[in-house]
Amino acid sequence: FEPSAGETVITQAQKLRAEDVISVVGCVKLRPLGQENKNLVTGEIEIHSTDLTLLNRSEVPPFTPGQQDLPNEDLRLKYRYLDLRREEMQQTLALRSQITNIMRDYFQSNGFLDIETPILGRSTPEGARDYLVPSRVHEGLMYALPQSPQLYKQILMVAGYDRYMQIARCFRDEDLRADRQPEFTQLDLEMSFVEQEDVLTIVDGLVARLVKDLLGQELSLPLPRMTWDEAMERFGHDAPDLRFGMEIVDCTDLAAKAEFRVFSATATSEGGAVRGLNVKGGAANYTRRKIDALTEFVQKDLGAKGLAWFRVEEEGTLFSPIAKNFSTELLGEIKERLDAEPGDLLLFSADQWLTTCKVLHGLRKKIGAEMKLYDSNDFHFSWVTDFPMFEFNEDENRWDSMHHPFTAPRTQDLPLLDSEIAKCRAQAYDLVINGYEAGGGTIRIHDNKIQQKVFNLLGIDEKMAAERFGYLLDALQYGAPPHGGIALGLDRIVMLFARTQNIRDCIAFPKTQRATDLMTNAPNTVDTRQLDELALKIIPQSQR
């Protein structure tokens, strides 16, 4: 705004403040030589204004979208319309739109039909809690919001729609965390007359397309595959981060020979295991004080009883407060087993096998980040397959499905349903990206007899099965083809490609960790008239 624009325009311009909405009339000119701003797309030009109209004056905002030091997340969520003006948020939501379009285009080009499934459905109390919607027309009855389109997409296969996909909205009333939301979006797909490899191959192609279009890189296919057993043995987790090594090494047989009671007693107990990690070059990074902090971490956060460690000295000997309980020969065997060299730090967990998995996975993840053992901009994609069919629920003393009750066992494991179900492996598979489960799927049971046998093992008798899943079981009796599919978490995939740690940054209007919307104050109370129409009454918790 130059003096030539006139006193009225200049006076008005001087009163403008951040976030005001204006209309400007003027001449677009090149900036003087040497005054270009290369950080802006429009940095080579400027507008010499002759007229100014204030379209909407802004109140003083609680924060400025362009400021470097962001306020706390609750304030940003309350004023989400301001937070969404931030360049990072606009880039992330543009990325989300791009990913969604790539997905739709890819599956359309591969012969998939985009078919919507109902939002108001029947409650099937499996897994997480349902969000329930009371019916006004049918007093006392409830709809449930879908946790996934699982049963509908299986019925579509029976109906002859051989390739289905959908960008589906799903709802689960469960405890939340940074990468979880009560309402979320998934890419859902199902295919008829397929085996596991067919599903993995079609998703491999999608991943390659995303990597090429978003990162400009060519991805080698097929993506690496490992079984669940291998993932747990090597990395302690069914979604391992494969951007770096540091694999778990089993030392149970060596621990049994130690005079250190924690090792020997655990190694000789039923289900006990002693397993370790070699943190290459870790001795310099982790002083005794930092090792104590690691010990506190595994005890408080991971449920470990403790943490044993050895430091490999320059001369190659193993130093530790517990080293006196090991013979020189046994220390040499441990050193050889873990391929230890001077400067390495060896960490051990002695507990039940599953606990050692949890502890060593947590340590591996923490140390990998602290020592920067990988480039945070790198991506690694892989598959984990052959999950256990069932997992034992100790709280309720029964078996649960590891995925869902419609998962087919491996053909060679069918006899185990009558004998050793703990050893039964499923035709189940997860897509893993940088240590996150980005999606999971299975080949489904299409035989009614096998389905009922699985239900029986889960404590679901024929009457209960008919009540909960009768419409699917009926459909399976009318020419159901072999079928399988997968669901990929769209929110999580956007989070990974946007290189953020918070899934709320990838959703326009997310909920907090307490499942509330701070902008609209949802959930909220409703008036008595609405409750009366639904034949509902709110009973305070103190009166229940």
Side-chain angles (χ1 to χ4, degrees), residues 228-444:
W228 181 89
D229 292 313
E230 182 183 356
M232 297 298 285
E233 287 288 349
R234 293 172 59 190
F235 303 102
H237 199 262
D238 56 14
D241 191 338
L242 300 182
R243 289 175 294 178
F244 65 104
M246 202 194 301
E247 297 188 17
I248 296 172
V249 179
D250 191 283
C251 298
T252 306
D253 58 326
L254 300 180
K257 299 186 288 185
E259 294 181 14
F260 183 50
R261 181 165 174 76
V262 173
F263 273 24
S264 58
T266 302
T268 55
S269 65
E270 184 177 354
V274 180
R275 305 162 76 201
L277 295 172
N278 182 353
V279 184
K280 285 291 181 182
N285 289 75
Y286 288 93
T287 61
R288 180 63 185 270
R289 184 176 179 179
K290 287 186 176 181
I291 293 174
D292 290 342
L294 288 179
T295 303
E296 184 179 3
F297 164 69
V298 298
Q299 289 176 324
K300 287 187 176 181
D301 292 16
L302 304 177
K305 297 173 183 174
L307 181 66
W309 59 272
F310 292 92
R311 187 172 64 235
V312 187
E313 306 284 57
E314 287 186 11
E315 63 275 15
T317 58
L318 298 186
F319 169 80
S320 172
I322 63 171
K324 60 186 179 183
N325 299 296
F326 296 77
S327 66
T328 303
E329 181 182 346
L330 183 55
L331 290 174
E333 291 183 73
I334 292 173
K335 179 182 171 184
E336 182 179 359
R337 178 73 60 87
L338 277 85
D339 190 26
E341 300 172 318
D344 292 348
L345 177 67
L346 312 182
L347 302 174
F348 293 89
S349 174
D351 214 307
Q352 290 294 296
W353 185 80
L354 276 176
T355 302
T356 66
C357 286
K358 182 179 180 181
V359 170
L360 295 176
H361 163 69
L363 279 172
R364 180 178 180 271
K365 187 176 179 180
K366 181 179 178 66
I367 292 170
E370 289 180 349
M371 289 186 62
K372 298 180 180 179
L373 299 181
Y374 56 88
D375 186 337
S376 59
N377 291 320
D378 284 348
F379 281 87
H380 192 286
F381 306 86
S382 64
W383 288 101
V384 174
T385 66
D386 298 343
F387 281 73
M389 184 83 175
F390 307 98
E391 55 185 345
F392 193 70
N393 186 330
E394 293 187 359
D395 293 336
E396 300 185 21
N397 193 35
R398 63 182 177 87
W399 290 97
D400 291 336
S401 297
M402 182 164 275
H403 275 73
H404 55 65
F406 315 106
T407 301
R410 296 188 307 181
T411 304
Q412 64 267 38
D413 288 356
L414 276 172
L416 296 176
L417 294 177
D418 297 317
S419 54
E420 300 178 271
I421 64 173
K423 295 182 180 180
C424 186
R425 292 295 181 262
Q427 296 185 63
Y429 34 85
D430 280 1
L431 176 66
V432 179
I433 306 177
N434 294 356
Y436 286 90
E437 177 201 332
T442 70
I443 299 298
R444 326 301 185 187

Side-chain angles (χ1 to χ4, degrees), residues 115-317:
I115 303 175
E116 293 179 349
T117 53
I119 293 295
L120 295 176
R122 178 186 176 88
S123 176
T124 54
E126 293 291 327
R129 299 181 187 89
D130 288 326
Y131 277 104
L132 301 176
V133 180
S135 170
R136 178 185 60 81
V137 177
H138 305 282
E139 185 175 309
L141 301 184
M142 300 276 182
Y143 298 104
L145 303 184
Q147 295 188 31
S148 80
Q150 180 63 48
L151 303 186
Y152 289 110
K153 67 181 180 180
Q154 288 192 244
I155 288 174
L156 284 170
M157 297 302 102
V158 179
Y161 297 87
D162 291 346
R163 290 194 162 201
Y164 143 93
M165 66 81 59
Q166 180 185 188
I167 306 294
R169 296 290 285 169
C170 304
F171 308 84
R172 291 179 187 170
D173 185 4
E174 58 186 350
D175 295 334
L176 307 179
R177 58 183 185 228
D179 62 342
R180 201 179 265 176
Q181 282 281 290
E183 51 181 325
F184 57 96
T185 307
Q186 66 185 36
L187 166 68
D188 203 55
L189 65 99
E190 196 80 6
M191 305 162 66
S192 285
F193 297 103
V194 292
E195 297 177 347
Q196 176 174 296
E197 193 60 31
D198 298 307
V199 181
L200 270 56
T201 298
I202 199 73
V203 177
D204 276 1
L206 171 66
V207 173
R209 170 78 181 273
L210 289 170
V211 169
K212 183 176 182 179
D213 288 5
L214 301 176
L215 305 178
Q217 301 172 10
E218 295 290 339
L219 195 61
S220 178
L221 299 180
L223 297 179
R225 285 121 160 92
M226 74 172 67
T227 66
W228 181 89
D229 292 313
E230 182 183 356
M232 297 298 285
E233 287 288 349
R234 293 172 59 190
F235 303 102
H237 199 262
D238 56 14
D241 191 338
L242 300 182
R243 289 175 294 178
F244 65 104
M246 202 194 301
E247 297 188 17
I248 296 172
V249 179
D250 191 283
C251 298
T252 306
D253 58 326
L254 300 180
K257 299 186 288 185
E259 294 181 14
F260 183 50
R261 181 165 174 76
V262 173
F263 273 24
S264 58
T266 302
T268 55
S269 65
E270 184 177 354
V274 180
R275 305 162 76 201
L277 295 172
N278 182 353
V279 184
K280 285 291 181 182
N285 289 75
Y286 288 93
T287 61
R288 180 63 185 270
R289 184 176 179 179
K290 287 186 176 181
I291 293 174
D292 290 342
L294 288 179
T295 303
E296 184 179 3
F297 164 69
V298 298
Q299 289 176 324
K300 287 187 176 181
D301 292 16
L302 304 177
K305 297 173 183 174
L307 181 66
W309 59 272
F310 292 92
R311 187 172 64 235
V312 187
E313 306 284 57
E314 287 186 11
E315 63 275 15
T317 58

Side-chain angles (χ1 to χ4, degrees), residues 1 5 9 22-28 47-53:
F1 297 94
V9 172
I22 62 174
S23 170
V24 172
V25 176
C27 182
V28 179
I47 300 175
H48 290 245
S49 308
T50 58
D51 189 33
L52 167 66
T53 303

